[in-house]
Amino acid sequence: MDKRAIVIEEAAAFLSSWLDGRKPIAGIILGSGLGELANEIEEAITIPYVMVPGFPAATAVGHKGNFICGKLGGKCVLAMQGRYHYYEGYPMDTVVLPIRVMIKLGIKYLLVSNAAGAMNKSFSIGDLMLIRDHINLLPNPLIGPNLDEFGPRFPDMTCAYDLDLQDRMLKIAKKQGVKLQRGVYVSCTGPTYETPAEYAFYKAIGGDDVGMSVTPEVIVARHAGLRVLGMSVITDVAHEVGDDYVTDENEIVRQADLASKKMTSLFRELISTL
Ligand code: HPA
């Protein structure tokens, strides 16, 4: 058996015993911007990543490192409070391990959130952006022997972000009076923020915002046929040499927290429709 499959199997068996018969239908990655959602999960069971066999402790700023299982919008969900980033030095197999474990536990949907910097000049700090497509500039997490039990060697990525879920989310945002941008997310390794020339490059290749996560998780979810929704909170904007502006991680976390309420409300309503 593939070593990765054994790790996934053991972690899923451990979590399953903790879940005590609960059957989550959706996984939610609470990146920067959705922290608030964790407080709204009812009848919550919290399982720190460090307790799960094969899981290292999360280290990124603003990321706690817990699975939280409970009810949201009347549905059973499994939320990840914090994620593993490639820039932390984890191999890609570790970055996507929690997603594969949630897939093993039977989730059918993956809802992903993240903080991002905007190249699109019509976006402002504090805006939410529904991800309609992505450009993956991180190493592809499917490199290596294919895990056939999850999906095919060469997965199609035409509709990585589910069109029906996007449509529902746009309607929910309209109803709630929340401004929702839509665009293409570019992932890069980080941990440096972009130079002005890099922002210009990402814009030129078709990106609207840029961050350091999301795409590995979405690729692995799509490999297994899950339906995916992604949303960024715009925490900073591309800038030029000479602008009186410095990208600052504390400010990014602050901006993400400020957007948390409206993002949580959108996600809750979407989940109620699943
Ligand atoms: N670049 C990369 N990652 C980010 C940014 C950014 O501007 N903002 C939040 N995460």
Side-chain angles (χ1 to χ4, degrees):
M1 200 172 174
D2 189 295
K3 253 200 203 139
R4 293 166 299 169
I6 295 169
V7 174
I8 295 162
E9 201 70 62
E10 282 179 3
F14 173 88
L15 267 178
S16 179
S17 67
W18 270 82
L19 295 187
D20 201 20
R22 295 173 186 220
K23 294 266 175 267
I25 59 159
I28 311 172
I29 306 179
L30 310 175
S32 316
L34 264 184
E36 174 112 359
L37 189 142
N39 307 325
E40 308 230 346
I41 296 178
E42 293 161 18
E43 302 162 31
I45 301 178
T46 301
I47 307 150
Y49 295 159
V50 278
M51 282 179 61
V52 184
F55 277 54
T59 62
V61 173
H63 289 258
K64 288 197 176 132
N66 295 311
F67 279 113
I68 303 174
C69 185
K71 282 213 157 151
L72 189 72
K75 302 284 157 64
C76 185
V77 298
L78 182 55
M80 287 173 56
Q81 197 175 34
R83 53 156 59 93
Y84 298 118
H85 300 83
Y86 189 65
Y87 65 72
E88 293 173 87
Y90 297 117
M92 262 303 161
D93 284 338
T94 303
V95 172
V96 298
L97 172 62
I99 317 304
R100 287 189 165 138
V101 170
M102 293 196 293
I103 292 167
K104 270 271 156 210
L105 292 173
I107 61 164
K108 299 286 176 260
Y109 301 90
L110 184 69
L111 312 183
V112 188
S113 69
N114 73 297
M119 287 80 77
N120 188 319
K121 291 265 188 274
S122 66
F123 295 180
S124 308
I125 291 176
D127 281 357
L128 300 180
M129 188 193 92
L130 183 62
I131 303 177
R132 70 168 176 82
D133 204 347
H134 74 220
I135 297 172
N136 178 47
L137 298 180
L138 283 163
N140 194 303
L142 301 184
I143 291 172
N146 186 48
L147 290 172
D148 294 333
E149 61 180 303
F150 284 89
R153 171 75 290 189
F154 300 107
D156 176 79
M157 289 292 286
T158 313
C159 288
Y161 299 85
D162 189 86
L163 292 175
D164 173 51
L165 294 181
Q166 284 188 58
D167 200 42
R168 285 192 228 178
M169 187 52 102
L170 288 165
K171 288 191 177 118
I172 289 166
K174 196 164 181 194
K175 191 179 113 198
Q176 294 191 6
V178 173
K179 179 168 143 201
L180 186 56
Q181 309 280 13
R182 198 158 166 260
V184 174
Y185 173 84
V186 179
S187 63
C188 54
T189 65
T192 45
Y193 294 116
E194 285 64 36
T195 64
E198 285 166 344
Y199 281 126
F201 170 62
Y202 296 149
K203 186 178 179 191
I205 61 172
D208 294 290
D209 74 354
V210 56
M212 307 174 192
S213 60
V214 172
T215 56
E217 298 148 353
V218 171
I219 288 170
V220 162
R222 287 303 298 148
H223 182 227
L226 267 64
R227 293 173 64 187
V228 173
L229 179 117
M231 197 180 286
S232 301
V233 45
I234 304 300
T235 53
D236 53 284
V237 289
H239 49 280
E240 298 293 331
V241 176
D243 286 357
D244 185 18
Y245 186 90
V246 178
T247 317
D248 171 65
E249 67 178 321
N250 295 314
E251 180 58 14
I252 284 175
V253 171
R254 194 179 79 82
Q255 288 298 340
D257 285 346
L258 287 175
S260 202
K261 234 189 180 65
K262 57 181 176 179
M263 201 146 153
T264 296
S265 170
L266 295 179
F267 272 57
R268 192 203 297 103
E269 188 161 351
L270 180 73
I271 289 162
S272 74
T273 72
L274 300 181

